[in-house]
């Protein structure tokens, strides 16, 4: 089976940098994805890592280390609108994803 | 932009009722998914469909069934609703091609079973 662990809550100051970690245990690895969900909203896709290293998309970056079964999402120049829940997810076969329980990020002034 | 539309934003039903949740996507995606989301538990996969008339059980299929008669529509059915099925239900779709393809979610249906 698949399981992913991530912190339940993180608080950071506006303008700062925050890192949300994710460790996973999988019977087969199909990449690591990140999704963002604002309160009352739909999850939206942020990034996907299939190979080791850092992927950058604007203020957001995602990192993967397959040997450590570990990844993280890095958010720079935090804005109030970044307050949301962030989910890591890994493929559980060719089709489905297994999600972590989510990290609630609170950005404070 | 991909649009995934769920038929109801809020729904209240009674114990024992048969409940239908509908989901429609407009991007000709092959794969569709139903999740439930509960506080502290994240998103859990109920069923998915990789093509028309094809369905596979996810992690928590008990008490649910699905139907996919047309490519754009994926229905979740609660055969006899129970209070422990009170939850937020999310539908998603994705083009075929593997786990690197993003899933696109609807806004969710908040279902209350009384």
């Amino acid at each position: 089976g698949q399981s992913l662990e991530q912190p339940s809550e993180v608080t950071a100051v506006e303008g700062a940098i925050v890192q949300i970690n994710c460790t996973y245990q999988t019977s087969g690895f199909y990449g690591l994805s990140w999704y963002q969900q604002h309160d009352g909203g739909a999850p939206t896709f942020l990034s996907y890592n299939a190979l080791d290293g850092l992927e950058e998309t604007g203020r957001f970056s995602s990192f993967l280390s397959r040997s450590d079964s570990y990844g993280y999402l890095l958010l720079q120049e935090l804005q109030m609108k970044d307050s949301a829940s962030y989910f890591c997810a890994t493929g559980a076969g060719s089709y489905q994803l297994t999600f972590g329980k989510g990290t609630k990020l609170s950005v404070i002034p | 932009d991909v649009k995934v539309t769920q038929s109801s934003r809020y729904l209240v039903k009674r114990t024992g009722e048969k409940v239908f949740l509908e989901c429609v996507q407009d991007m000709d995606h092959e794969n569709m998914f139903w999740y439930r989301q509960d506080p502290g538990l994240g998103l859990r996969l109920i069923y998915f469909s990789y093509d028309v008339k094809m369905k596979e059980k996810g992690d928590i299929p008990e008490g649910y069934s699905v139907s996919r008669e047309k490519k754009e529509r994926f229905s979740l059915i609660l055969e006899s609703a129970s209070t422990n099925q009170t939850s937020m239900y999310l539908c998603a779709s994705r083009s075929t091609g593997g786990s690197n393809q993003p899933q696109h979610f609807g806004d969710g249906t908040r279902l209350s079973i009384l």
Side-chain angles (χ1 to χ4, degrees):
Chain A
Q2 323 282 113
S3 69
L4 300 99
E5 294 290 330
Q6 52 182 130
S8 58
E9 295 183 12
V10 172
T11 300
V13 177
E14 191 176 15
I17 299 172
V18 71
Q19 179 174 312
I20 299 173
N21 297 320
C22 175
T23 57
Y24 58 86
Q25 289 185 317
T26 62
S27 53
F29 184 68
Y30 294 84
L32 191 69
S33 301
W34 288 92
Y35 286 77
Q36 177 193 58
Q37 185 182 30
H38 288 98
D39 281 348
T44 56
F45 173 80
L46 290 177
S47 67
Y48 172 80
N49 294 67
L51 302 175
D52 292 354
L54 194 67
E55 296 277 346
E56 297 182 56
T57 308
R59 294 187 297 113
F60 293 6
S61 303
S62 57
F63 172 83
L64 175 65
S65 169
R66 288 174 296 170
S67 60
D68 296 321
S69 298
Y70 163 75
Y72 65 72
L73 181 69
L74 191 74
L75 294 81
Q76 303 183 72
E77 300 172 19
L78 278 173
Q79 302 176 8
M80 300 300 290
K81 68 178 182 180
D82 297 329
S83 292
S85 292
Y86 293 85
F87 297 87
C88 57
T90 184
S94 299
Y95 301 103
Q96 68 267 42
L97 289 177
T98 297
F99 286 81
K101 294 180 179 180
T103 299
K104 185 175 177 67
L105 171 65
S106 299
V107 180
I108 57 176
Chain B
D1 257 4
V2 177
K3 185 71 174 175
V4 179
T5 303
Q6 296 185 227
S7 53
S8 304
R9 192 81 169 100
Y10 300 94
L11 203 55
V12 180
K13 295 291 182 181
R14 298 211 173 270
T15 304
E17 280 192 69
K18 191 168 186 176
V19 181
F20 293 85
L21 302 184
E22 306 287 346
C23 175
V24 177
Q25 51 95 3
D26 66 357
M27 283 302 293
D28 203 36
H29 283 168
E30 291 80 8
N31 306 157
M32 295 188 74
F33 307 84
W34 274 106
Y35 296 89
R36 64 177 284 176
Q37 184 173 26
D38 301 288
L41 296 179
L43 285 78
R44 293 180 292 166
L45 182 65
I46 304 171
Y47 266 97
F48 68 97
S49 168
Y50 52 89
D51 208 343
V52 177
K53 297 192 185 294
M54 308 306 289
K55 59 187 178 184
E56 293 285 342
K57 293 179 180 179
D59 299 318
I60 51 165
E62 296 78 19
Y64 303 94
S65 62
V66 291
S67 173
R68 188 144 180 228
E69 295 297 316
K70 293 185 178 181
K71 193 174 188 179
E72 68 270 19
R73 185 180 298 271
F74 192 34
S75 303
L76 180 69
I77 303 153
L78 286 67
E79 297 290 343
S80 177
S82 64
T83 54
N84 63 11
Q85 293 177 309
T86 291
S87 187
M88 170 68 85
Y89 289 87
L90 290 162
C91 175
S93 74
R94 190 191 71 183
S95 66
T96 195
S99 295
N100 61 319
Q101 296 298 314
Q103 292 193 11
H104 301 269
F105 286 83
D107 287 334
T109 295
R110 188 165 292 282
L111 175 65
S112 296
I113 307 296
L114 304 179

